[in-house]
Amino acid sequence: MWARNPTISDDQLDLIHSLLRRGEKRALIAERAGVCTRTVYRIQVRLGGVPRPAAAEYDSRYLSEDERREIARLHDLGWSVRGIARHLRRAPSTISRELLRNRDPKSGHYLPHRAHTQAWIRQRRPKCSKIAANPRLRAWVRYLLKQRLSPEQIAGRLRVLFPDDESMRISHETIYQSLFVYPRGELTRELKAELRSGRTTRRPRGQRGPRTRGIKDAVSIHERPDEVEGRLIPGHHEGDLIKGSLASNSAVGTIVERHSGFVTLIHLPDGWAADKVAAAVSAEMSQLPKWFAKTLTWDRGSEMARHKDITAATGIDVYFADPYSPQQRPSNENTNGLLREYMPKGTDLSVHTHDDLQAIAKQLNDRPRKRLGFYTPAEVFAKLLADNQTAGVATAP
């Protein structure tokens, strides 16, 4: 337990924790609790940005806060230790130790809230975490963090890499605590910068707003084949542009295959006019096997005004999401967020060469995904390719 400012009362600390759990802003919390915003910030940081849930308790064999309140009430009424024990269905020794151990040293009275806090502190006794006790595991976690994998991806990937080694198991929550929660910090501070969010504390994600425009002869997403929805059949893609600074008029096309998560990046060095986009998309998608390039779902941006040219050149059917519905292209939206690590908003994207984009796409395709059982899109695509080649040989005359 961290040492707090002695001028903050238990009631103030409880109020601060309660408001942090509700997601209130620090300025409002400071005003209501009667402290400065810096104090609230220090408390939030030491909790790693994630306060203890209000209902969190240890195992039921330990006394709960409600039981401690009942002990205090009955003790003040003059009940005996055995009488309180029978009422709570606890051992008399449990009640006796509780009253002796958790009396207030100044007043001598049993105070349930203070008793519960002290019990929580004792149960959080310092102990070595799994990362601190296992140098090999710690080295792998550090390595994968530097590869820009999220803690959840690291936890899942370690199961794939070491399927028979129980010592290489770790939860993503343990990794987060080792990064953020005082006084652990087994993973050094600079590794926080390797997280995709780049944040020093944990907090809920924001949401990106979509940009949509009308487009002629657009075929609605609702006319797509039913097989697209389940992600079970490969060959169905989602696409969009990420745009650079206004002065540069630059953009990069992003296409993601729904089944495998395989990413294809489109080089657009001369802008994102409809004819240029159609030509670039056609050139990249023509390199994919026919069974892996069946449909493409895009938003309603004007860059896809020549979508019929893409269909004519590649045989891919192009569909368009509803206006203001980025959730209809979830794989692509997620990928665009990841790409902003490499190509930040407001920058000139024309500086990225075709080879640069291929290198970025390779990194994304080598990143394990939870929904793929922590295999990578590249591994899934390679397996699909091998299976289709085998099937082709088997059916050949």
Side-chain angles (χ1 to χ4, degrees):
M1 183 71 173
W2 55 278
R4 62 177 175 82
N5 189 329
T7 61
I8 301 177
S9 68
D10 288 342
D11 290 341
Q12 284 176 307
L13 191 59
D14 287 345
L15 178 59
I16 292 171
H17 283 183
S18 174
L19 295 175
L20 284 173
R21 283 192 292 269
R22 285 168 46 185
E24 300 289 353
K25 294 182 178 179
R26 285 196 292 267
L28 175 62
I29 297 174
E31 181 181 351
R32 293 189 58 182
V35 298
C36 67
T37 55
R38 182 67 182 172
T39 297
V40 177
Y41 175 75
R42 285 200 300 268
I43 293 172
Q44 186 179 22
V45 168
R46 289 176 181 270
L47 294 171
V50 184
R52 172 194 168 197
E57 296 286 352
Y58 282 106
D59 191 272
S60 59
R61 70 179 184 271
Y62 299 111
L63 290 172
S64 67
E65 188 168 10
D66 288 340
E67 286 179 309
R68 287 190 167 94
R69 290 197 185 98
E70 188 67 3
I71 290 173
R73 186 181 71 84
L74 297 178
H75 184 64
D76 289 343
L77 291 175
W79 283 44
S80 68
V81 168
R82 291 187 177 276
I84 297 173
R86 282 194 300 271
H87 178 72
L88 294 178
R89 298 182 180 180
R90 293 282 188 175
S93 58
T94 299
I95 307 302
S96 176
R97 284 196 300 268
E98 178 67 21
L99 289 170
L100 290 173
R101 180 185 298 162
N102 291 318
R103 288 181 183 274
D104 182 62
K106 295 181 179 179
S107 65
H109 294 296
Y110 176 77
L111 304 176
H113 178 77
R114 181 184 182 280
H116 192 68
T117 301
Q118 292 301 315
W120 178 264
I121 294 171
R122 285 194 294 268
Q123 287 167 332
R124 283 170 53 89
R125 63 193 180 280
K127 50 188 175 182
C128 189
S129 74
K130 194 167 186 178
I131 286 182
N134 189 335
R136 180 167 171 248
L137 175 62
R138 184 168 64 251
W140 267 97
V141 171
R142 289 174 60 89
Y143 168 74
L144 293 175
L145 279 171
K146 288 183 176 294
Q147 299 303 308
R148 304 186 72 81
L149 270 64
S150 72
E152 186 175 41
Q153 289 171 334
I154 293 171
R157 188 62 176 172
L158 288 174
R159 289 180 177 272
V160 174
L161 296 175
F162 306 99
D164 301 319
D165 190 348
E166 292 293 330
S167 69
M168 297 299 287
R169 300 282 191 273
I170 191 170
S171 71
H172 64 278
E173 183 62 31
T174 298
I175 299 174
Y176 274 121
Q177 290 186 3
S178 295
L179 284 168
F180 290 132
V181 178
Y182 179 89
R184 286 191 179 279
E186 292 90 355
L187 298 174
T188 52
R189 182 184 300 269
E190 65 268 16
L191 287 177
K192 291 182 184 179
E194 303 296 340
L195 292 175
R196 294 203 299 265
S197 66
R199 295 173 184 144
T200 57
T201 59
R202 298 163 72 184
R203 59 184 180 182
R205 295 183 183 181
Q207 293 186 352
R208 302 193 319 135
R211 294 185 178 185
T212 57
R213 297 181 181 88
I215 191 168
K216 186 178 180 180
D217 298 328
V219 182
S220 172
I221 188 175
H222 302 291
E223 298 182 35
R224 286 191 315 187
D226 293 339
E227 69 179 40
V228 180
E229 283 300 319
R231 297 181 184 270
L232 299 177
I233 308 297
H236 303 290
H237 300 255
E238 298 171 2
D240 195 9
L241 295 185
I242 59 171
K243 297 175 182 177
S245 61
L246 292 176
S248 67
N249 192 36
S250 57
V252 171
T254 66
I255 298 178
V256 188
E257 201 276 323
R258 285 172 55 84
H259 173 78
S260 63
F262 192 84
V263 176
T264 301
L265 297 182
I266 309 297
H267 190 221
L268 298 170
D270 301 319
W272 42 278
D275 58 339
K276 293 182 173 62
V277 171
V281 170
S282 298
E284 289 292 338
M285 298 301 285
S286 296
Q287 299 180 34
L288 298 175
K290 292 294 183 182
W291 54 265
F292 198 68
K294 301 175 184 176
T295 71
L296 174 61
T297 302
W298 207 275
D299 74 353
R300 293 178 179 262
S302 62
E303 69 274 5
M304 287 298 284
R306 302 285 291 272
H307 60 93
K308 291 183 179 180
D309 293 351
I310 297 175
T311 301
T314 65
I316 296 173
D317 294 324
V318 181
Y319 299 91
F320 292 87
D322 293 332
Y324 301 99
S325 300
Q327 72 277 6
Q328 293 178 342
R329 298 177 299 101
S331 297
N332 187 250
E333 286 290 305
N334 177 65
T335 299
N336 288 350
L338 299 179
L339 284 169
R340 285 305 186 182
E341 301 171 25
Y342 304 93
M343 294 172 275
K345 291 183 179 180
T347 60
D348 182 359
L349 302 186
S350 64
V351 301
H352 300 283
T353 66
H354 182 271
D355 289 342
D356 292 338
L357 297 184
Q358 294 301 308
I360 293 171
K362 185 179 186 303
Q363 285 194 32
L364 294 181
N365 289 328
D366 287 338
R367 179 176 291 183
R369 304 297 173 87
K370 180 179 180 180
R371 70 176 182 85
L372 300 178
F374 294 100
Y375 286 91
T376 70
E379 291 169 341
V380 174
F381 176 67
K383 184 178 185 305
L384 289 171
L385 191 61
D387 291 345
N388 275 272
Q389 290 174 345
T390 301
V393 171
T395 58

